[in-house]
Amino acid sequence: MIKLKSLLLTVFLLGAFTASAQLSFGLKAGLNLSDMSDYDNTKMKIGYKVGPTVNLSLGDIGFQGAILLSSKGVKGDGVDGKIDANYLEIPVSFVYKRPVAFDTNLYINAGPYFAYGLFGKTDLGLAGEIDTFSDEMLNRFDMGLTFGVGIEVLMFNFGVNYDLGLTKIDDFSNAKNRNLWISVGYNF
């Protein structure tokens, strides 16, 4: 009898949860300003981030996931050299929204991201070019935290996020990815 009551309660709660949940899909694109900690004589590299998103809204709170192609790296500051690193990135963020006007919400988001290095070239100046994700350069796996703020107006959203890498991206230093990105999105 207790098992039956527990089962009925679980089914009721799941039904109530899914009845109030709203699932939507969208696209997001943005400008990356990336750097790598622990690398001397470097400056931010301009890149991009683009891909589809999925949003699960439960009123003022929700979750957002995405599959993004993200261009990161660094440029030499006063010296030759540049690292281009292109990742497949999957951020999963908790989102809190606050209505500020009709069809307008401010939001904050935070959560982990997971990334896998797909391709890239590293310019070593006079020494030539090598593949970015090779034994001599960067590890393919990266993960960290992403957090940001933004505004939703109707079906559009505009945001500013920061990605704080937590894993070492190479085997010869303590370098981690750092990335500030500005985005615009559209939810279907």
Side-chain angles (χ1 to χ4, degrees):
M1 188 66 169
I2 293 176
K3 287 183 181 181
L4 180 61
K5 287 181 182 179
S6 296
L7 178 63
L8 289 175
L9 180 62
T10 302
V11 169
F12 174 76
L13 290 175
L14 283 174
F17 172 78
T18 55
S20 66
Q22 182 178 359
L23 187 66
S24 65
F25 299 91
L27 292 173
K28 185 175 278 196
L31 174 74
N32 279 349
L33 299 170
S34 62
D35 200 355
M36 295 175 181
S37 69
D38 216 39
Y39 280 13
D40 295 330
N41 300 319
T42 61
K43 60 183 178 181
M44 287 186 159
K45 177 187 166 294
I46 297 174
Y48 58 87
K49 197 174 282 210
V50 61
T53 62
V54 61
N55 304 290
L56 177 64
S57 179
L58 305 166
D60 289 347
I61 62 170
F63 297 92
Q64 182 181 72
I67 300 174
L68 305 170
L69 179 60
S70 181
S71 171
K72 298 180 180 182
V74 293
K75 292 172 67 172
D77 187 17
V79 296
D80 287 340
K82 176 172 70 170
I83 299 174
D84 285 319
N86 294 279
Y87 291 91
L88 179 67
E89 190 171 286
I90 301 174
V92 180
S93 295
F94 172 78
V95 180
Y96 174 73
K97 297 178 187 179
R98 189 75 182 150
V100 293
F102 180 72
D103 282 338
T104 304
N105 297 308
L106 293 178
Y107 67 85
I108 59 172
N109 63 286
Y113 76 84
F114 306 92
Y116 183 79
L118 297 175
F119 60 92
K121 291 286 183 190
T122 296
D123 178 2
L124 300 173
L126 296 176
E129 272 190 359
I130 62 172
D131 287 332
T132 296
F133 299 105
S134 64
D135 291 339
E136 296 89 25
M137 285 304 300
L138 302 185
N139 300 324
R140 287 194 183 271
F141 181 72
D142 180 34
M143 72 171 261
L145 299 175
T146 185
F147 44 92
V149 298
I151 187 168
E152 286 181 338
V153 180
L154 297 170
M155 301 304 282
F156 293 94
N157 60 70
F158 307 91
V160 177
N161 278 54
Y162 187 75
D163 297 338
L164 177 68
L166 298 177
T167 58
K168 288 176 36 174
I169 57 172
D170 62 32
D171 293 329
F172 49 86
S173 76
N174 239 355
K176 297 174 178 79
N177 276 318
R178 305 287 188 250
N179 190 52
L180 176 68
W181 59 291
I182 302 163
S183 66
V184 60
Y186 182 80
N187 293 326
F188 299 106

